[in-house]
Amino acid sequence: EGPLRIASDGMGLIKPLFMAEASLQAAVLGGIAKVTAKDVVPEIEAAKKQNPCLIYTYKWSPFSTGALALLDKSGYKYTNIELGNEWFTLDGRGSQTRVALAGMCENGATSLPKIFIGGKCIGGAGGFSALTDLVEKDELQGLLKAARVPSQDTN
């Protein structure tokens, strides 16, 4: 988790570039697909209400893979919504969802993973870093319990 953590923390340095790219991608691909933020925000809000631990990921992202591994180790259930292989492979809906998710988190970063526990986004630019911080501080279990996230052994 060391090098991955350092890379995740560093993503905030190039946040303005990613924000501009994400907005342009969402405008172009969303326009082609006729999908807007108004279409995806209700879907995200519904997913947050239905899933006390929710993570949005990219399939190829080492940050997403690392966050999923930490959630697997937690012993609690979670729902993973994979937006696509990576940001550059997103379609119109995925692009709009990426931008909408950025607006729901602390500093507006467009990077994934985005993790919601009890409907609240943990962390800003680096969902992986925020999750790692919770694990290192031994706070993740308490947060998951407080959000009434079922354990993995509960059917």
Side-chain angles (χ1 to χ4, degrees), residues 45-81:
E45 292 298 337
K48 286 169 29 180
K49 284 181 185 171
Q50 294 168 0
N51 301 286
C53 184
L54 175 65
I55 180 170
Y56 285 84
T57 62
Y58 296 133
K59 184 176 187 173
W60 296 341
S61 165
F63 305 115
S64 293
T65 303
L68 290 169
L70 289 173
L71 288 173
D72 284 340
K73 288 180 190 176
S74 76
Y76 286 83
K77 291 182 181 181
Y78 62 88
T79 299
N80 177 24
I81 297 177

